[in-house]
Amino acid sequence: GVLKVCCGSDHTLAVAADRRLYAWGLNSDGQCGVGHQQDVYRPEAVAAFTGHGAGAPVAALAAGGRHSLVVTGESTKGAGTRGYVYSWGWNQDGQLGHGHHTSLSAPTILKSMAEPRKIMGLVAAGESHSGVIDAKCNVWTWGSGSYGRLGNGETIGAPTPRLVGGVLEDVKVVQLALGGWHSMALTSDMRVYAWGKGEATGLLREGDSTIVKEPRLVDLHNIVDPRLTDNGVAQIAAGTYHTILLMKNGDLYTFGLGSMGRLGNGDRTGKNSSRPQRVKHVVIQGQGRVPAGFRLLERFGDVAAAANSTANQGGQQTAAAAAPTQQGDAGRGQAKKGAEEEKSKADAAVRAGNPALSDNNFGYIQARLRKQARFATEAEIKRSEEDVVKRLHDSLKVLGDISQIEAPLTAMVSKFDSLFAKNLKYIKAGEPAESGSGSSISPNLARYQVLVSSIQQQVAYLVSLSLCLENEKEQATFYAATKSIFVELEDDRIQFLLAALLRLLVEKEIEQSKKLEDVLDEGKNPSNGRDRSSAFHLLKYFALHEKHMETIVNPLMDHRNPKGLMKSIDHLSLTQDAVWAVSFADFKKAPENSDKGFEFKELQSEFAQSTTRFIEFLKTDFVAAIKEFRLPPTVQKLLSHTFVTIKRRRFAVVVDGEVDQEVMCCEPIVKVLVLGILVPMLRNAKKFAGKMANFDGEFEKRLEGESSGVKFNIDQLANFLERMIADNFDSTTEGKLLKRTAKDVKNELIAFLIAQMHDATDDIQTSLLFSVLKSQYQIKTKSVQLRASVLMQLSNMFKKNMNKLSINDHDLVAEACRPIKAWTDEEIEQEEQRELYHTFMIDSRFLIKETRLSICPSSFCPVPPSLSTEMLSIKQQFGVLVRSFRPVEEHTRLLEECLVQVTCELKAETFDKLRKEFAEEIAEQIRPGRDIILANKLMQAQEKIQELKELDLREEELFESLEKVMANRKEYSAYLSQMYYGMRQVEAMKRRHEKDVQQALASYEAANRFQLTLQLPSPLIEAAKDLGVQLHLESAAERIQSREEFVRNANVWHHKNDPVMTYPMKKLLSRKVVVRFADADASKLDARELRVTFHLRGDGVDVSLLLKRHTTESVLQKFHIAEASLRNLQKSDEKATIGFPEETPVLVFSQTKLVEMLGEIAAN
């Protein structure tokens, strides 16, 4: 049997009767904990628990979005559970709590919670955050901190457990429920606290986007009557977007997002609710109590006893007061007064928020500093920074050893190239495809090599160039060059380089924009025809690149996905004959209406009905489909950076009514989502939802032809989205309805984007640095291919704007472009017609040759010093590679020292009151038997207060300053964690590199062995003989064998007929068999008149140099090459030469080419 079970987004955990833990479902991130990452299709035992909790039974379990938690241990009555927390699965946001962001495929003990602390058997897992309740009923949370879901007053994530303070410090929490963006807590007195974002918290009104960063009491006075014993919250549950309360009397209440029927209230419009609503259709039979199956699960030990005792006592007292007694009305009045007092207190707490944690007193700052101490002090951060710098420099210095490690492989590859060049004539199938070797730019290929390699490594060149584009043609060249240079997005280095380019491009565009509407404007400039925003165009290219097909395109466009957009449209169009349009004129053109001859009024009535159906589709199916897909991490980071940059720019926005500033800043990003991603996919549905996207052709057939209702509806959806962005609907009744709907849909898209961006950590710069370092260990050579005509236009643009594009005084690109001529339009047009391409090898492993590196201050790209605006001295090996932590100001340090030194709880709001509070505490602590050490600390703190007063600073300024310092510390600690993680990745790449070298060596050794003979495996030869077919390589192998045996086997010298062959000197020179020739009277010799005869004999080769003029032929020179000399030639170096006769050489041969030619003569 099964004792316990829980479900995550796509996986399930269960505890069986044998006390073992089983899991099944999606396992892409190891969330099943079975030691691998393949999906589990039937229950499989979770990997063994190790550490202190090994062997203990599972006391509690929780499954989140893509991670899992359990508590192991025995629960004993009245003593709680001595348990240990284990976690595994997805860990991008630190939701596993181990202090890093690496996903785990097997249970790993949470060391920070492994000390001898009683852990109550209650854990909770949200979409990307986690929590646990300890023996003292305290709540600890960790993971993603966006929307304040951790309850610690911040929106920054926490990779290790941190105590949730505030109002929860004074109550006993008996249950914790974590949703997508919010968290809920139930206390022993049946009160509910919440924090996070959205209506699901029960703290906000509908549509309010406020973020609640710390726990607040949920106002339940409309459903909870403290006078009734059976009225109170017994259990809470949190979904991604909604919350459920189960009452003691069996009633069920829901609140949160209303779409898709989440709230169970029968409302099909998807209306949200921020206040609990009773689910009327659920009836639970019982005697006014919650049935056993619905009671609070997993209450262990003394915590549960205390909770039940409090609940029962409160219920008995209230019942006694409410029941008729001898006191009569007086008793009832007293009970009523007590209930009203309790209610007024609850209302006051709700209205006031959280007065205990007001940020205008020293106690609040003191509590924050105590939390701060749990993750880092300034001294620890500085030590960590120095450690990161040292480790990073050490990693860079060992890159010089790569050449030595790869030396055997380099020699093997050189041998392979030599053999391949020799054998190519035997094995090539035909002439190679035409390349750019014969283009106009061929003499400048080396300079173009520098240009292309430089602008890929240093994105500042292209960003500066984008600001110099004058017309549509130049912009087209810019796009073509950028897409060709950054086409291989599967390579992390290329991906993050393009992300760095887009990041910088967006920053420049926001900086130069005068209005918010100008940012990421998809339109064209009427004066020159070029796009107003190059950043928008390239963001669109990046988002819809093949790399993102599975994450962006497929979830929406795969008609086989039951939650996808295409599935919904296909279903409505085929099964319900749904047709919709954004205007009556478009509706008349629908395939279903064009040939039915409707009357005008009848058609208008049909249009009104279709508009209602369209609006229902937009609010339900469309919004739900959008929320089901997740933007790729790099796209999230780019949009998040864009959002933050827009907020900092502080555009002047004139709007009617009260509009949230955060929403206004999202407007340009909504344009990217709608016009850069959604509309292009809908307009090209055949490409993104048909065979080209690896889907079957059935749906593609329904998209073809003018009579396709599915295609018509898809196009009308694209029209709606375009009009939504332009706010361009007609003034008809239907147009007004669609306009109101567009506002609602847009708000849903903004909420979707904010959720995606808040989950993103802008670590593009760090990721780029370590992707460059990892690329040094990649053996495969990277290349870029560009059209010759694009290169010509690109060099023209660089030459024209070089004074604006140069990075430093010795700019490599400027030096490369200067000798290149300015190409004319006719020359460029001629190359465009030829469509020739050039391939350039990119030196991505530049650190192997020269271990010098700089982070360019203008683009933040890791580049050689020659490509950076930060010029290094000759002795300086590295630039500033690690961002420095800024030390705190003196007055902030003094305040921090003052508050940290004391352990008593502070309440003062001014310096004078604080000194008075310290004086009172000192007088108390110096009494006999009290804490004299604390008294000394308080005296030292008083001295710090006096120093602060002398600085003439207001308390509010100091509080604000210290808040910023603490936020900076948390942010910098996260940055250092990223650096440590990156260095671990580089170390892993280094270990993998050694294996790759050995594998490549084995591969080239096998290839070289084959190339020596080109001898096919015997099974292939026998199979060909059975079919009566001669394989192409058979004859090649025979010729190779004859050629090689010419110098290996003495028997081949004794031919029945000694071969003789005469070659024109011109041919020998072109084949590089003869390097040069000479004569006593060299001026009389002409290569066109010379012939060379080779006569193969048993003891060697006779060579004759002949001069043929007109009809006469004379011998100029004869010499003999002995057999022993020929054998030595075979062993010689590729570039070695030899002259004959040896005393006074007349002909100088390439040794390897001569042996190869003699082998051909022998073979023929």
Side-chain angles (χ1 to χ4, degrees):
V2 176
L3 302 179
K4 300 182 180 73
V5 67
C6 66
C7 299
S9 292
D10 299 285
H11 73 293
T12 305
L13 301 177
V15 180
D18 61 0
R19 313 302 291 273
R20 295 183 66 186
L21 181 64
Y22 292 83
W24 61 94
L26 183 69
N27 194 34
S28 58
D29 299 283
Q31 55 263 53
C32 287
V34 292
H36 58 75
Q37 293 185 351
Q38 285 77 42
D39 293 348
V40 182
Y41 292 93
R42 57 172 57 90
E44 187 173 334
V46 172
F49 296 92
T50 59
H52 299 289
V58 174
L61 64 163
R66 283 184 278 172
H67 69 292
S68 305
L69 297 165
V70 300
V71 174
T72 64
E74 296 283 353
S75 59
T76 56
K77 188 174 180 180
T81 299
R82 289 191 180 276
Y84 296 92
V85 181
Y86 287 81
S87 62
W88 62 92
W90 191 47
N91 196 31
Q92 180 177 333
D93 298 300
Q95 55 263 56
L96 300 189
H98 299 295
H100 58 72
H101 297 272
T102 304
S103 298
L104 302 172
S105 299
T108 304
I109 194 168
L110 204 59
K111 294 181 180 178
S112 59
M113 304 292 285
E115 58 188 76
R117 178 191 287 121
K118 289 188 296 183
I119 301 295
M120 180 178 175
L122 279 177
V123 285
E127 177 67 24
S128 54
H129 67 304
S130 307
V132 66
I133 304 175
D134 68 17
K136 296 181 180 179
C137 294
N138 295 320
V139 176
W140 300 73
T141 59
W142 60 94
S144 173
S146 60
Y147 298 109
R149 69 185 83 175
L150 297 185
N152 57 12
E154 298 288 348
T155 57
I156 300 174
T160 55
R162 293 178 189 166
L163 184 66
V164 180
V167 293
L168 295 189
E169 291 179 343
D170 302 320
V171 296
K172 290 187 175 183
V173 177
V174 295
Q175 192 190 356
L176 183 66
L178 307 182
W181 302 341
H182 70 292
S183 304
M184 310 292 294
L186 177 64
T187 62
S188 58
D189 58 358
M190 292 182 291
R191 295 194 179 202
V192 178
Y193 292 82
W195 58 96
K197 182 181 184 296
E199 289 90 349
T201 60
L203 301 172
L204 310 171
R205 66 181 186 275
E206 283 80 7
D208 192 345
S209 61
T210 305
I211 295 173
V212 180
K213 301 178 184 179
E214 295 174 329
R216 290 186 189 174
L217 183 65
V218 180
D219 182 8
L220 300 178
H221 73 274
N222 61 327
I223 65 171
V224 176
D225 189 344
R227 294 171 297 178
L228 303 178
T229 59
D230 65 343
N231 193 217
V233 180
Q235 187 175 347
I236 57 176
T240 304
Y241 305 106
H242 70 302
T243 301
I244 298 179
L245 306 179
L246 178 62
M247 313 304 290
K248 288 184 66 179
N249 63 1
D251 286 344
L252 203 64
Y253 287 84
T254 61
F255 49 97
L257 201 64
S259 61
M260 303 180 73
R262 288 182 180 88
L263 303 184
N265 54 15
D267 185 1
R268 295 178 178 273
T269 64
K271 183 179 179 182
N272 301 341
S273 174
S274 61
R275 289 289 176 263
Q277 296 183 355
R278 184 168 174 265
V279 181
K280 300 178 182 179
H281 304 285
V282 176
V283 179
I284 301 176
Q285 301 296 331
Q287 303 297 321
R289 302 283 296 175
V290 179
F294 284 82
R295 292 181 188 174
L296 179 62
L297 303 177
E298 304 300 348
R299 289 187 173 177
F300 286 91
D302 54 350
V303 179
N308 291 328
S309 172
T310 303
N312 293 333
Q313 289 173 8
Q316 292 166 3
Q317 291 169 359
T318 308
T325 62
Q326 295 178 354
Q327 295 178 356
D329 292 341
R332 286 193 293 272
Q334 187 176 4
K336 182 177 180 180
K337 182 178 179 181
E340 289 177 350
E341 288 178 355
E342 287 294 318
K343 181 177 180 299
S344 63
K345 288 180 181 179
D347 289 342
V350 172
R351 286 194 302 271
N354 197 349
L357 289 182
S358 174
D359 57 1
N360 62 350
N361 62 64
F362 287 97
Y364 171 79
I365 298 297
Q366 183 190 40
R368 294 290 310 282
L369 285 170
R370 288 177 179 175
K371 288 184 180 180
Q372 179 89 62
R374 277 201 294 273
F375 58 82
T377 63
E378 186 168 331
E380 290 170 345
I381 288 177
K382 202 64 184 174
R383 284 194 295 271
S384 297
E385 178 188 335
E386 294 169 356
D387 181 54
V388 167
V389 172
K390 182 180 181 302
R391 290 192 184 191
L392 187 56
H393 285 189
D394 291 343
S395 297
L396 288 167
K397 289 174 182 176
V398 301
L399 292 176
D401 300 336
I402 293 179
S403 298
Q404 186 176 355
I405 296 171
E406 294 183 1
L409 178 60
T410 304
M412 191 67 68
V413 172
S414 177
K415 184 178 180 181
F416 172 86
D417 292 339
S418 173
L419 289 171
F420 185 76
K422 290 180 180 180
N423 293 336
L424 185 60
K425 65 171 73 64
Y426 302 119
I427 61 177
K428 66 180 179 180
E431 292 300 321
E434 188 176 14
S435 66
S437 59
S439 69
S440 304
I441 68 170
S442 296
N444 291 302
L445 283 180
R447 299 185 180 96
Y448 279 108
Q449 170 77 48
V450 175
L451 172 64
V452 173
S453 184
S454 298
I455 62 180
Q456 188 195 73
Q457 295 182 61
Q458 175 54 282
V459 300
Y461 285 115
L462 287 174
V463 173
S464 300
L465 182 63
S466 70
L467 304 176
C468 304
L469 305 177
E470 296 179 353
N471 52 56
E472 189 177 5
K473 187 175 181 180
E474 287 189 352
Q475 192 171 51
T477 301
F478 171 76
Y479 289 153
T482 303
K483 292 175 183 178
S484 297
I485 290 171
F486 300 102
V487 69
E488 296 292 341
L489 293 187
E490 296 299 331
D491 184 341
D492 283 349
R493 187 183 70 90
I494 300 297
Q495 178 189 348
F496 289 117
L497 278 170
L498 180 56
L501 167 67
L502 290 169
R503 200 171 183 269
L504 194 55
L505 206 58
V506 167
E507 287 177 1
K508 294 292 184 183
E509 186 171 307
I510 294 173
E511 179 185 325
Q512 295 190 346
S513 296
K514 296 179 181 179
K515 300 179 297 181
L516 182 62
E517 295 79 6
D518 297 336
V519 178
L520 298 175
D521 187 353
E522 78 288 355
K524 288 187 176 291
N525 191 326
S527 62
N528 54 23
R530 56 167 294 221
D531 294 336
R532 287 195 179 102
S533 173
S534 299
F536 174 86
H537 184 95
L538 291 177
L539 276 169
K540 172 183 170 183
Y541 161 76
F542 182 69
L544 295 180
H545 190 273
E546 291 178 2
K547 175 181 174 62
H548 301 138
M549 286 291 288
E550 292 187 4
T551 51
I552 289 184
V553 178
N554 292 3
L556 291 174
M557 303 301 286
D558 185 355
H559 74 283
R560 299 165 301 185
N561 177 12
K563 298 180 181 179
L565 189 58
M566 289 300 103
K567 180 67 175 179
S568 176
I569 295 176
D570 193 34
H571 173 74
L572 292 172
S573 302
L574 294 180
T575 62
Q576 300 183 22
D577 296 325
V579 178
W580 52 63
V582 295
S583 68
F584 183 63
D586 286 344
F587 187 72
K588 290 190 293 184
K589 298 175 185 177
E592 287 78 359
N593 301 328
S594 59
D595 57 351
K596 291 184 178 180
F598 285 113
E599 294 291 336
F600 182 78
K601 289 185 178 180
E602 186 180 358
L603 197 59
Q604 275 194 324
S605 175
E606 287 283 340
F607 176 53
Q609 293 178 20
S610 76
T611 301
T612 302
R613 185 178 295 182
F614 189 26
I615 289 173
E616 182 181 355
F617 161 78
L618 290 168
K619 287 187 173 182
T620 55
D621 293 356
F622 175 74
V623 171
I626 294 298
K627 291 182 177 179
E628 284 296 329
F629 92 102
R630 187 178 181 86
L631 293 170
T634 309
V635 177
Q636 287 183 14
K637 294 168 187 176
L638 286 170
L639 296 183
S640 176
H641 180 74
T642 303
F643 176 71
V644 172
T645 309
I646 291 173
K647 287 180 70 174
R648 289 174 181 165
R649 176 70 168 75
R650 297 182 181 276
F651 286 99
V653 181
V654 180
V655 293
D656 296 330
E658 184 179 347
V659 179
D660 191 291
Q661 184 69 22
E662 193 172 72
V663 172
M664 292 303 301
C665 292
C666 275
E667 289 287 338
I669 301 169
V670 173
K671 284 192 290 187
V672 174
L673 174 64
V674 174
L675 301 179
I677 298 177
L678 299 180
V679 170
M681 288 195 297
L682 295 171
R683 294 293 188 202
N684 297 278
K686 188 173 179 181
K687 171 184 176 181
F688 290 106
K691 291 181 180 178
M692 292 180 65
N694 295 323
F695 303 143
D696 62 62
E698 291 300 319
F699 183 68
E700 184 174 326
K701 292 177 182 178
R702 296 198 284 276
L703 298 175
E704 296 175 348
E706 296 297 327
S707 61
S708 170
V710 177
K711 184 177 185 301
F712 181 84
N713 286 342
I714 293 172
D715 289 339
Q716 289 303 309
L717 175 58
N719 290 344
F720 170 83
L721 293 173
E722 289 175 340
R723 292 193 179 205
M724 178 186 73
I725 296 299
D727 194 19
N728 180 25
F729 293 92
D730 59 40
S731 57
T732 63
T733 301
E734 290 77 12
K736 292 177 181 178
L737 287 172
L738 288 173
K739 185 172 184 176
R740 285 199 293 270
T741 303
K743 185 177 180 181
D744 294 338
V745 170
K746 194 174 184 179
N747 287 336
E748 292 283 3
L749 294 178
I750 289 174
F752 164 78
L753 285 169
I754 290 175
Q756 300 271 305
M757 292 186 297
H758 273 284
D759 288 341
T761 302
D762 188 5
D763 59 353
I764 290 176
Q765 296 174 10
T766 310
S767 300
L768 176 56
L769 170 63
F770 289 107
S771 67
V772 168
L773 296 186
K774 288 190 293 182
S775 68
Q776 310 304 308
Y777 291 101
Q778 293 177 346
I779 299 173
K780 187 177 180 181
T781 304
K782 306 297 180 182
S783 62
V784 166
Q785 195 174 63
L786 285 94
R787 288 183 64 175
S789 57
V790 172
L791 287 165
M792 296 165 79
Q793 294 175 77
L794 192 64
S795 61
N796 279 358
M797 291 158 62
F798 268 88
K799 286 174 70 70
K800 181 173 66 174
N801 301 289
M802 191 48 71
N803 60 328
K804 301 176 184 177
L805 305 179
S806 294
I807 283 180
N808 51 50
D809 295 337
H810 304 285
D811 193 273
L812 289 180
V813 173
E815 293 176 3
C817 289
R818 194 173 293 114
I820 301 175
K821 64 170 289 190
W823 304 101
T824 64
D825 292 341
E826 291 76 14
E827 290 173 319
I828 295 173
E829 185 177 351
Q830 182 181 0
E831 287 298 336
E832 284 179 345
Q833 294 174 356
R834 297 180 66 189
E835 295 188 357
L836 298 181
Y837 286 81
H838 287 278
T839 301
F840 300 96
M841 298 299 114
I842 301 299
D843 187 16
S844 59
R845 308 178 77 192
F846 61 88
L847 284 168
I848 297 176
K849 301 175 184 176
E850 179 187 11
T851 55
R852 302 184 75 211
L853 184 67
S854 172
I855 303 291
C856 178
S858 61
S859 66
F860 300 102
C861 289
V863 291
S866 56
L867 290 176
S868 175
T869 54
E870 178 194 25
M871 297 300 292
L872 305 183
S873 64
I874 297 176
K875 296 182 179 180
Q876 195 174 0
Q877 191 173 7
F878 307 117
V880 178
L881 304 181
V882 180
R883 199 170 72 215
S884 297
F885 177 71
R886 291 178 298 175
V888 299
E889 298 177 1
E890 178 65 18
H891 60 271
T892 307
R893 184 185 61 78
L894 287 172
L895 177 60
E896 183 177 1
E897 291 178 355
C898 166
L899 299 180
V900 169
Q901 283 178 339
V902 300
T903 57
C904 58
E905 301 294 334
L906 302 176
K907 300 176 183 178
E909 298 177 357
T910 65
F911 287 129
D912 291 334
K913 290 181 180 179
L914 185 62
R915 294 185 66 188
K916 183 179 178 181
E917 195 172 336
F918 278 6
E920 293 173 355
E921 187 68 24
I922 290 171
E924 178 69 22
Q925 297 300 335
I926 60 177
R927 292 169 56 190
R930 301 305 296 272
D931 193 345
I932 191 65
I933 297 177
L934 176 58
N936 289 331
K937 288 184 177 180
L938 290 167
M939 292 177 188
Q940 295 173 11
Q942 274 193 321
E943 296 176 3
K944 303 292 183 185
I945 295 173
Q946 186 59 37
E947 293 181 44
L948 285 169
K949 286 200 67 176
E950 292 172 359
L951 293 174
D952 196 24
L953 291 170
R954 292 188 305 164
E955 288 84 351
E956 294 82 2
E957 294 175 352
L958 286 170
F959 294 159
E960 183 179 352
S961 177
L962 194 54
E963 281 282 350
K964 291 179 180 178
V965 167
M966 288 189 285
N968 287 338
R969 283 183 188 168
K970 294 181 82 170
E971 181 185 353
Y972 193 76
S973 295
Y975 166 73
L976 290 180
S977 298
Q978 295 167 10
M979 295 294 288
Y980 278 119
Y981 176 67
M983 286 187 288
R984 288 196 299 271
Q985 285 185 311
V986 173
E987 284 298 317
M989 196 70 183
K990 180 182 176 183
R991 293 190 295 271
R992 178 181 168 185
H993 169 258
E994 296 172 356
K995 295 180 180 178
D996 290 344
V997 169
Q998 295 303 317
Q999 291 177 355
L1001 266 174
S1003 176
Y1004 275 104
E1005 282 177 349
N1008 287 346
R1009 284 195 300 271
F1010 173 71
Q1011 284 208 106
L1012 289 173
T1013 62
L1014 292 184
Q1015 184 67 47
L1016 294 169
S1018 55
L1020 284 177
I1021 298 174
E1022 292 171 3
K1025 285 181 179 178
D1026 292 341
L1027 295 173
V1029 176
Q1030 183 177 10
L1031 299 176
H1032 183 64
L1033 283 181
E1034 280 191 86
S1035 58
E1038 292 173 0
R1039 298 182 65 168
I1040 292 293
Q1041 186 177 11
S1042 299
R1043 186 191 72 187
E1044 298 300 327
E1045 286 186 352
F1046 173 70
V1047 292
R1048 291 181 186 173
N1049 190 348
N1051 295 328
V1052 302
W1053 292 103
H1054 303 287
H1055 299 279
K1056 294 179 180 178
N1057 299 305
D1058 293 343
V1060 178
M1061 185 69 70
T1062 301
Y1063 293 96
M1065 177 64 77
K1066 189 175 180 181
K1067 184 174 182 179
L1068 295 176
L1069 289 170
S1070 66
R1071 289 184 58 181
K1072 298 183 180 178
V1073 177
V1074 175
V1075 179
R1076 62 181 180 275
F1077 63 93
D1079 187 61
D1081 190 1
S1083 61
K1084 297 178 181 180
L1085 294 180
D1086 185 348
R1088 292 173 295 180
E1089 300 175 328
L1090 296 177
R1091 304 283 187 274
V1092 180
T1093 298
F1094 298 91
H1095 187 178
L1096 275 61
R1097 298 183 179 278
D1099 59 347
V1101 179
D1102 290 337
V1103 182
S1104 301
L1105 177 61
L1106 308 175
L1107 176 63
K1108 184 176 182 180
R1109 285 180 177 171
H1110 307 295
T1111 58
T1112 62
E1113 186 174 79
S1114 57
V1115 178
L1116 297 179
Q1117 186 75 44
K1118 290 187 68 173
F1119 52 86
H1120 179 76
I1121 304 177
E1123 178 185 348
S1125 298
L1126 289 172
R1127 294 189 186 280
N1128 291 331
L1129 294 183
Q1130 178 66 20
K1131 303 174 184 178
S1132 62
D1133 182 65
E1134 183 80 19
K1135 299 179 181 180
T1137 60
I1138 188 169
F1140 294 105
E1142 296 182 359
E1143 301 79 12
T1144 55
V1146 174
L1147 296 176
V1148 179
F1149 295 96
S1150 165
Q1151 295 186 19
T1152 55
K1153 296 287 185 182
L1154 175 60
V1155 171
E1156 181 182 347
M1157 189 195 68
L1158 294 176
E1160 291 175 0
I1161 296 173
N1164 295 324

